[in-house]
């Protein structure tokens, strides 16, 4: 009898009904009655797992009744319909063998554990139902992203993680070195012969590939040495950064909208059980939020229009902690108002004041704004940040001079504007921010397998 | 008239034949005759690109004739069959507009450039035909890997890159720090409150997820601060590390064989033009090598058998620089002999002397060997290294003690053997090593967008 996974069992359920199968996995819970036992069994290949039932007729009944939560077992038996749920099979066990024991003091007992406690045992938490749902969605969402871009001919580019170019990350980067610490550093003796740090973005290198392949995307880790202990900051996280040649701001907004809807649809289609669980776990509303996103039309307003709306709301009595300013950034409360109160949909806010945006954004003729765009979504705030890039050599280098960014060390970047430059645009999306949105889980520490935050680098 | 990509043009060629289209891309070469011009046009979305032909009837004929190599252009015209190749379209241009100029001294001229020179202009080399082929194959092969695992229910896990756990990498790791260099380091004041480094593998964390999801894989960057300037070493590269619960060494070898054949088939199917070009560029034999791999049966021999074969070959007159030793590692020349001379196929060599393999490999009863396996392939040597993992707590901790690896700081890893441990196995494959195999390109510097090697951290 071949060993199958619970995923195969679910996929071939009608065919296997009444058949003998063998499964290997773990005991999540074990309820015992005098002449019977019920094992919540899982192997992690499928979210909805079979219940294993055995009775007094099984060999070694007493031995089996002593099997503890957390143990690895091999179960053989007949597939029968479940009383409770016809889509979830039940196994009438003919044999249950212990593969790996588990002690009485196993930390993961079948009771409610706090998220904080589960972070301390991050190497065991993927065995819980919550993290089975979260980390499978993480995997499926990653595949959704690759599928979206590859189906459309984008080339996946691995931009470098170790970099000597810190135009964007000044002050917030991790030093990478092989020099002995404690001695006066001589960077000519360092591994790369110069001072290096972990990259905060792959965009600039991504642009070089967009000027060769037209459509490219990156999907890799990114690092910020920001000393902030918030629910949404991690020192190590994954980013997606597509870059598109012959694309202006309007076209970029089309792509952002289409991309996000596709990803959400892909995950809705493939993780219904996980999302149903998370919907309940997070208090309801998750499935509605995701479904309505796929059907919504994203509003598009300029930053100036956004501020006008927000100031109008204040005049009509809405209370904001921070006053919306025409020249300034928006706060979380403003984003919330725009998406949840005013538009009831995602909102693309574009044409931002140039002072609060990056040097590489295309400068509008008004001399004040740049063609940047932030995508705000209900329930999660800013999800993507993008822009049409400044492709005019003079404008770009002038802005770099104003901001004190070296044209010389970045010559390869500015040269893109000399060597067959073209209108191009791209955006960045933090993968964990997407996952917070998709799972309803609030803390970034709970959507990363092993989170890295200030004072935390365990496992 | 909508702008289309050359990829769309190729896909819809029969439908678009005789129609007007608009394309945007770059000039790779421009040959001028008195009353005509021929532009090798590319936009990077497709390897086989259309030739753009214009004649004296086009408006601004002289202006267009002055368009230089490297410039970005917008071309409108009629799709007509090519004389040379019916699968490659030709565009009879009605209009050619300059989008981005390019100077006379553009480094990428239509002539043969050395690979060394192209490394110096790594930000421009993706525009060459060679690197269009290499980096598209890199992207497609990445997708092949994700598709293989996701289709089979594996969960994609992002293991951490910054780590405080250096069991595997002692001495070869990059330090990651926010401490000021030059002062005596107080790691309690460092970002994570302890000494950290860049990870050399995600396997150990991968095992924790395999004990929850049964089948998982990682695919992410890895770092080695090894001061070796060879064709196959880089300081930053990407690794794939699947880990499978309830899997022994035999089953692992089945997976390795099936996995590699699937990846090669996927790339053969999707990149015929790129591979045909590389086949020619690398002197022939690449396509034969890849096709025969998909049809071959991988030989399986123990390390002892391998040494016996090699020593037998020596006795019959084969010259080796290094004598094959029963207790020792194999050299490149030995791998070459086994795959290319003896078996004429990939070879899985298993049951290695424990002294030359890692602490986590399953110890055989002979007290001398462990259940490790190396996959050797013709033309590239070692491509994967894997093992059944030591799942017996006592054996594992005893081996760690022998090797001076701390059980205490790795308690989460050894605990996997206490908390429902099971037979499990996994392998690691360097992505760039796969790409060297797939593309026939010899130097790792030429299959990574921006390579990091000793003294090299540009762009």
């Amino acid at each position: 009898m071949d060993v199958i996974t619970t995923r195969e069992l679910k996929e071939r359920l009608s065919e296997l009904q009444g058949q003998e199968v063998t499964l290997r996995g773990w005991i999540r819970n074990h309820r015992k009655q005098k002449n019977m036992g019920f094992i919540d069994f899982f192997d992690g290949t499928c979210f909805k797992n079979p219940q294993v039932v055995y009775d007094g007729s099984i060999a070694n009944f007493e031995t089996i009744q002593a099997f503890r939560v957390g143990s690895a077992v091999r179960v053989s038996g007949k597939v029968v319909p479940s009383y409770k749920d016809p889509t979830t099979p039940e196994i009438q066990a003919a044999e249950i063998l212990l593969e790996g024991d588990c002690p009485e003091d196993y930390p993961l007992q079948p009771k409610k554990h706090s998220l904080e406690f589960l972070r301390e045992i991050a190497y065991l938490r993927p065995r819980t139902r919550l993290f089975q749902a979260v980390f499978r969605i993480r995997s499926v969402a990653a595949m959704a992203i690759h599928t979206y871009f590859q189906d459309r001919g984008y080339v996946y580019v691995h931009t470098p993680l170790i970099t000597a170019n810190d135009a964007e990350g000044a002050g917030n980067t991790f030093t990478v070195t092989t020099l002995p610490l404690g001695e006066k550093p001589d960077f000519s003796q360092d591994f790369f012969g110069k001072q290096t740090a972990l990259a905060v973005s792959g965009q600039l290198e991504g642009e070089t590939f967009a000027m060769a392949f037209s459509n490219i995307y990156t999907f890799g880790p990114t690092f910020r040495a920001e000393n902030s202990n918030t629910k949404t900051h991690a020192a190590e996280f994954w980013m997606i950064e597509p870059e598109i040649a012959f694309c202006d701001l309007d076209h970029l907004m089309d792509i952002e909208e289409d991309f996000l809807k596709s990803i959400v649809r892909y995950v809705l289609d493939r993780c219904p059980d996980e999302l149903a669980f998370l919907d309940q776990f997070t208090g309801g509303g998750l499935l509605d939020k995701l479904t309505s996103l796929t059907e919504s039309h994203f509003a598009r307003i300029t930053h100036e229009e956004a501020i006008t709306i927000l100031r109008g709301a204040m005049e009509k009595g809405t209370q904001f902690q921070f006053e919306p300013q025409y020249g300034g950034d928006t706060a979380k409360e403003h984003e919330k108002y725009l998406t949840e109160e005013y538009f009831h949909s995602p909102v693309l806010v574009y044409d931002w004041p140039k002072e609060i945006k990056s040097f590489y954004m295309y400068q509008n003729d008004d001399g004040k704004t740049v063609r940047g765009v932030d995508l705000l979504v209900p329930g999660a705030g800013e999800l993507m940040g993008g822009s049409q890039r400044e492709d005019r050599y003079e404008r770009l280098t002038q802005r770099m001079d104003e901001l004190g960014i070296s044209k010389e060390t970045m010559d390869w970047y500015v040269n893109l504007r000399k060597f067959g430059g073209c209108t191009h645009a791209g955006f960045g999306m933090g993968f964990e921010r997407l996952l917070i949105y998709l799972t309803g889980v609030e803390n970034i520490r709970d959507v990363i397998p092993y989170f890295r935050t200030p004072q935390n680098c365990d496992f």
Side-chain angles (χ1 to χ4, degrees), chain A:
Chain A
M1 192 165 17
D2 267 3
V3 178
I4 63 167
T5 63
T6 58
R7 181 169 176 262
E8 286 169 87
L9 177 58
K10 198 186 175 192
E11 284 169 358
R12 298 167 51 200
L13 186 55
S14 54
E15 168 205 342
L16 289 171
Q17 206 65 258
Q19 304 293 310
E20 299 280 328
V21 297
T22 298
L23 300 166
R24 300 169 87 175
W26 296 272
I27 300 176
R28 180 172 284 136
N29 197 359
H30 191 174
R31 283 162 298 124
K32 300 153 198 171
Q33 291 177 4
K34 196 165 180 236
N35 293 309
M36 285 192 87
F38 304 89
I39 291 172
D40 284 351
F41 173 92
F42 77 104
D43 67 6
T45 61
C46 173
F47 190 72
K48 275 202 173 175
N49 282 294
Q51 174 161 262
V52 173
V53 184
Y54 61 92
D55 61 26
S57 69
I58 200 167
N60 306 313
F61 179 81
E62 276 84 35
T63 310
I64 291 165
Q65 282 233 321
F67 289 173
R68 283 181 289 256
V69 165
S71 300
V73 289
R74 178 190 179 102
V75 175
S76 298
K78 196 160 84 173
V79 182
V80 296
S82 159
Y83 288 111
K84 287 183 278 183
D85 176 1
T87 66
T88 304
E90 193 165 287
I91 307 293
Q92 250 169 17
E95 185 181 63
I96 306 176
L97 299 174
L98 188 67
E99 298 225 358
D101 201 3
C102 193
E104 211 54 78
D105 63 352
Y106 179 52
L108 268 191
Q109 291 299 320
K111 60 166 194 172
K112 202 170 160 48
H113 295 291
S114 74
L115 291 173
E116 291 75 16
F117 171 71
L118 291 171
R119 281 176 212 143
E120 288 168 24
I121 51 164
Y123 75 110
L124 297 176
R125 67 179 180 169
R127 303 178 186 193
T128 65
R129 278 164 68 78
L130 172 62
F131 289 99
Q132 290 263 308
V134 167
F135 292 128
R136 186 171 294 97
I137 288 175
R138 185 175 173 111
S139 172
V140 170
M143 190 61 181
I145 290 163
H146 283 297
T147 303
Y148 181 87
F149 290 123
Q150 298 257 348
D151 280 356
R152 287 158 183 80
Y154 286 63
V155 169
Y156 178 30
V157 180
H158 290 137
T159 53
L161 285 312
I162 301 175
T163 179
N165 137 38
D166 70 342
E168 281 212 88
N172 279 329
T173 56
F174 288 101
T175 300
V176 174
T177 184
T178 54
L179 291 175
L181 300 181
E183 290 170 25
K184 192 170 150 52
D186 172 4
F187 291 111
S188 73
Q189 296 302 308
D190 207 347
F191 190 88
F192 297 107
K194 58 174 101 168
Q195 193 165 4
T196 54
L198 289 175
V200 298
S201 161
Q203 178 200 315
L204 307 190
E205 289 89 356
E207 284 185 51
T208 68
F209 270 68
M211 295 297 107
F213 288 102
S214 286
N215 304 323
I216 68 98
Y217 70 107
T218 73
F219 188 172
T222 312
F223 306 89
R224 301 272 157 91
E226 231 174 308
N227 204 351
S228 27
N229 253 310
T230 77
K231 284 184 178 181
T232 52
H233 285 86
E236 177 180 318
F237 56 98
W238 285 61
M239 281 258 284
I240 297 98
E241 298 183 291
E243 191 73 30
I244 306 112
F246 309 107
C247 175
D248 61 15
L249 187 71
D250 281 338
H251 187 194
L252 183 72
M253 292 194 276
D254 293 343
I255 294 171
E256 289 189 18
E257 181 166 346
D258 183 54
F259 170 72
L260 182 59
K261 287 178 178 173
S262 294
I263 302 309
V264 171
R265 243 181 254 120
Y266 188 102
V267 175
L268 279 168
D269 284 351
R270 281 165 185 77
C271 300
D273 296 333
E274 288 83 351
L275 287 171
F277 172 85
L278 288 166
D279 189 85
Q280 219 176 2
F281 182 86
T282 58
L286 177 68
L287 280 167
D288 279 352
K289 179 186 84 175
L290 296 177
T291 309
S292 80
L293 177 112
T294 63
E295 293 156 359
S296 68
H297 175 73
F298 292 15
R300 297 185 188 189
I301 52 171
T302 64
H303 175 265
E304 189 177 339
E305 286 164 347
I307 300 298
T308 301
I309 290 167
L310 292 165
R311 295 184 74 99
M314 274 185 85
E315 278 163 27
K316 286 183 200 134
T318 302
Q319 302 277 328
F320 291 129
Q321 201 188 334
F322 301 99
E323 195 190 329
Q325 302 281 1
Y326 282 104
D329 211 343
T330 49
K332 277 205 183 307
E333 56 181 345
H334 305 148
E335 297 166 359
K336 201 175 160 67
Y337 178 82
L338 290 170
T339 54
E340 296 173 25
E341 305 287 321
Y342 193 87
F343 286 106
H344 305 282
S345 80
V347 183
L348 289 151
V349 181
Y350 63 96
D351 281 352
W352 285 74
K354 73 175 178 186
E355 281 73 23
I356 58 172
K357 290 289 180 187
S358 299
F359 73 94
Y360 49 70
M361 294 193 183
Y362 190 94
Q363 296 163 50
N364 282 317
D365 290 339
D366 62 13
K368 289 186 296 191
T369 61
V370 288
R371 291 195 188 155
V373 57
D374 282 3
L375 171 63
L376 314 177
V377 292
E382 189 196 332
L383 189 59
M384 301 178 190
S387 70
Q388 184 178 323
R389 315 308 187 188
E390 183 56 83
D391 60 298
R392 295 163 299 183
Y393 185 85
E394 298 302 335
R395 291 290 194 105
L396 178 68
T397 51
Q398 192 186 325
R399 188 72 186 135
M400 290 173 82
D401 287 344
E402 283 167 21
L403 296 172
I405 297 168
S406 162
K407 303 192 286 284
E408 287 69 34
T409 54
M410 302 268 289
D411 60 344
W412 54 274
Y413 182 70
V414 297
N415 278 352
L416 294 179
R417 280 72 187 162
K418 281 204 311 204
F419 297 156
C422 69
T423 306
H424 63 291
F427 67 88
M429 179 178 74
F431 187 47
E432 283 75 14
R433 202 160 279 198
L434 173 72
L435 289 171
I436 286 172
Y437 182 72
L438 286 174
T439 61
V441 166
E442 286 182 344
N443 198 309
I444 197 168
R445 290 164 183 78
D446 300 326
V447 297
I448 302 183
Y450 295 100
F451 59 92
R452 269 65 180 117
T453 54
Q455 304 300 313
N456 266 299
C457 186
D458 296 326
F459 308 99

Coordinates of all heavy atoms in Angstrom, one line a residue, chain A residues 30 86 113 188 196 204 215 228 244 259 275 304-305 315 378 410:
Chain A
H30 N -5.4 14.4 20.5 CA -5.7 13.0 20.7 C -6.7 12.9 21.8 O -6.4 13.2 22.9 CB -4.4 12.2 21.0 CG -4.6 10.8 21.0 ND1 -3.6 9.9 21.2 CD2 -5.7 10.0 20.8 CE1 -4.0 8.6 21.1 NE2 -5.3 8.7 20.9
P86 N -18.5 16.5 4.8 CA -18.3 15.6 3.7 C -17.1 15.8 2.8 O -16.6 15.0 2.1 CB -19.6 15.7 2.8 CG -20.2 17.0 3.2 CD -19.8 17.3 4.6
H113 N -2.6 29.3 22.4 CA -1.3 29.9 22.8 C -1.3 31.4 22.3 O -1.9 31.6 21.3 CB -0.1 29.2 22.2 CG 0.0 27.8 22.7 ND1 0.4 27.5 24.0 CD2 -0.2 26.6 22.1 CE1 0.5 26.1 24.1 NE2 0.1 25.6 23.0
S188 N 40.2 49.0 2.0 CA 40.9 48.4 0.9 C 41.3 46.9 1.2 O 41.5 46.1 0.3 CB 42.2 49.2 0.5 OG 43.2 48.9 1.5
T196 N 31.0 48.1 2.1 CA 29.8 47.5 1.5 C 28.7 47.4 2.6 O 28.9 47.4 3.8 CB 30.0 46.1 0.9 OG1 30.6 45.3 1.9 CG2 30.9 46.2 -0.3
L204 N 17.3 50.3 -8.8 CA 18.2 50.9 -9.7 C 18.9 49.9 -10.7 O 18.9 50.1 -11.9 CB 19.3 51.7 -9.0 CG 18.8 52.7 -8.0 CD1 19.9 53.6 -7.5 CD2 17.6 53.6 -8.5
N215 N 10.4 44.4 -19.9 CA 9.6 44.1 -18.7 C 10.4 43.1 -17.8 O 10.6 42.0 -18.1 CB 8.3 43.4 -19.1 CG 7.5 44.2 -20.1 OD1 7.5 45.5 -20.0 ND2 6.9 43.6 -21.0
S228 N 13.1 50.6 14.5 CA 11.7 50.8 14.9 C 11.0 49.5 15.3 O 11.0 48.6 14.5 CB 10.9 51.5 13.8 OG 11.5 51.3 12.5
I244 N 9.3 48.6 -15.9 CA 8.7 48.5 -17.2 C 9.1 49.6 -18.2 O 8.9 50.8 -17.9 CB 7.1 48.4 -17.2 CG1 6.7 47.4 -16.2 CG2 6.5 48.2 -18.5 CD1 6.0 47.9 -14.9
F259 N -2.3 43.8 -11.4 CA -1.5 43.0 -10.6 C -2.1 42.6 -9.3 O -2.2 41.4 -8.9 CB -0.1 43.7 -10.4 CG 0.8 43.0 -9.5 CD1 1.5 41.8 -9.8 CD2 1.1 43.5 -8.2 CE1 2.4 41.2 -8.9 CE2 2.0 43.0 -7.3 CZ 2.6 41.8 -7.7
L275 N -8.2 30.7 4.0 CA -8.8 32.0 4.2 C -10.0 32.0 5.0 O -10.3 32.9 5.8 CB -9.1 32.6 2.8 CG -7.8 33.1 2.0 CD1 -8.2 33.4 0.6 CD2 -7.1 34.2 2.7
E304 N -2.7 66.5 -4.5 CA -3.4 67.8 -4.2 C -4.9 67.5 -4.0 O -5.5 68.0 -3.0 CB -3.2 68.7 -5.4 CG -3.7 70.1 -5.1 CD -3.4 71.1 -6.2 OE1 -2.5 70.8 -7.1 OE2 -4.1 72.1 -6.3
E305 N -5.5 66.7 -4.9 CA -6.9 66.4 -4.7 C -7.1 65.6 -3.4 O -8.1 65.9 -2.7 CB -7.4 65.5 -5.8 CG -7.5 66.3 -7.1 CD -7.6 65.4 -8.4 OE1 -7.3 64.2 -8.3 OE2 -8.0 65.9 -9.4
E315 N -13.1 70.2 7.7 CA -14.0 71.3 7.8 C -15.4 70.8 8.2 O -16.2 71.5 8.9 CB -14.1 72.1 6.5 CG -12.9 73.1 6.4 CD -12.7 73.6 5.0 OE1 -13.7 73.6 4.2 OE2 -11.6 74.0 4.6
P378 N -7.8 49.7 1.6 CA -8.6 49.7 2.9 C -8.0 48.6 3.8 O -7.7 47.5 3.4 CB -10.0 49.3 2.4 CG -10.1 49.5 0.9 CD -8.7 49.3 0.4
M410 N 27.5 56.7 -9.3 CA 26.2 56.2 -9.9 C 26.2 56.3 -11.4 O 25.2 56.4 -12.0 CB 25.0 56.9 -9.3 CG 24.9 56.8 -7.8 SD 23.9 55.4 -7.3 CE 22.4 56.0 -7.9

